[in-house]
Structure formats: C-alpha cells, structure tokens
C-alpha cells in the first residue's frame, strides 16, 4: 500500500500564556490569521482551521501543510501568536493511504473582522 505524507501542525494554548490586554490579543489574532493567509497564498497550506468545543481546551487549531516538518517548524516559529507565547506549534508527519484526502483551494480569513463577516 502506498501512503501520502503530510505535515500537520497542532496549535495549542500553553498552560501559562502571557496575560495581555484584550486589544493586544485581538491584534495578535489578526496577525496570526494574516500569517496563516500568507502561507496559504504561497501554496504551503492544504487545510487549516480552529477547533470548536474541544475536550481539551488547550487545543486551538489544526494545519495540514505540503512541506517538510522542519520547514513547518521554521514557518510557525515566525507566527506572531507563537512568538508572543499565546500559541505553541506542535509539528508531526501524518501518513494516510494514498488518495484518501483531496484538498481544494479555499480562501482563509486574514483578520477576525473578515472571519466574522462570513463572506
């Protein structure tokens, strides 16, 4: 059997994120989304999105990439929310039977305002 290999980034909230005022958190979220959108525009992200109602409240988001794990680590080390200590990027390889998943090109929001608009 043949397998497709993808790189997965699991974004988690650290147990002790820095306390920030809400306006700073909002700016970090927008910067995180803009960073993510930039990766999508470069063709590196196959799928990405937040988790809703996870059993583990530290789970925040999931990203599937078309690059090697080391490259993903370097890219996510530059994510503004990761740099600020609000998110941790956990990187791994993911194997699944060849052809199991197909990814379509889907636009991602570049800010919380855009995400909230639903367009």
């Amino acid at each position: 059997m043949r397998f497709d290999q993808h790189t997965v980034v699991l974004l988690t909230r650290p147990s002790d994120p820095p306390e920030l005022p809400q306006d700073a958190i909002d700016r970090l979220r927008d910067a995180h989304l803009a960073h993510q959108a930039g990766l999508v525009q470069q063709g590196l992200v196959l799928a990405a999105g937040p988790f809703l109602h996870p059993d583990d409240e530290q789970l925040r988001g999931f990203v599937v990439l078309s690059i090697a794990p080391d490259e993903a680590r370097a890219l996510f080390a530059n994510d503004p929310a990761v740099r600020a200590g609000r998110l941790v990027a956990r990187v791994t390889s993911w194997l699944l039977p060849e052809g199991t998943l197909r990814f379509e090109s889907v636009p991602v929001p570049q800010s919380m305002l855009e995400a909230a608009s639903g367009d």
Side-chain angles (χ1 to χ4, degrees):
M1 176 178 276
R2 293 182 184 208
F3 290 87
D4 289 330
Q5 181 175 338
H6 301 290
T7 297
V8 170
V9 176
L10 186 63
L11 295 169
T12 63
R13 175 75 30 101
S15 56
D16 59 345
E19 293 293 323
L20 298 172
Q22 188 60 50
D23 64 322
I25 291 171
D26 292 344
R27 285 193 305 274
L28 271 177
R29 283 184 184 150
D30 283 348
H32 163 72
L33 290 174
H35 179 265
Q36 192 98 313
L39 299 179
V40 169
Q41 290 167 354
Q42 293 176 56
L44 305 176
V45 173
L46 300 171
F51 290 117
L52 297 176
H53 317 296
D55 287 340
D56 180 345
E57 286 298 318
Q58 288 183 306
L59 295 174
R60 307 308 298 161
F62 182 79
V63 185
V64 181
L65 299 115
S66 62
I67 57 175
D70 288 343
E71 294 174 90
R73 282 184 191 92
L75 290 173
F76 277 85
N78 287 318
D79 183 305
V82 172
R83 283 195 331 254
R86 297 286 297 174
L87 291 176
V88 174
R90 301 186 187 284
V91 180
T92 191
S93 292
W94 183 34
L95 295 176
L96 60 159
E98 186 176 61
T100 301
L101 284 179
R102 300 200 193 289
F103 297 96
E104 300 288 329
S105 177
V106 177
V108 295
Q110 295 189 35
S111 69
M112 290 303 291
L113 181 63
E114 188 176 332
S117 73
D119 292 336

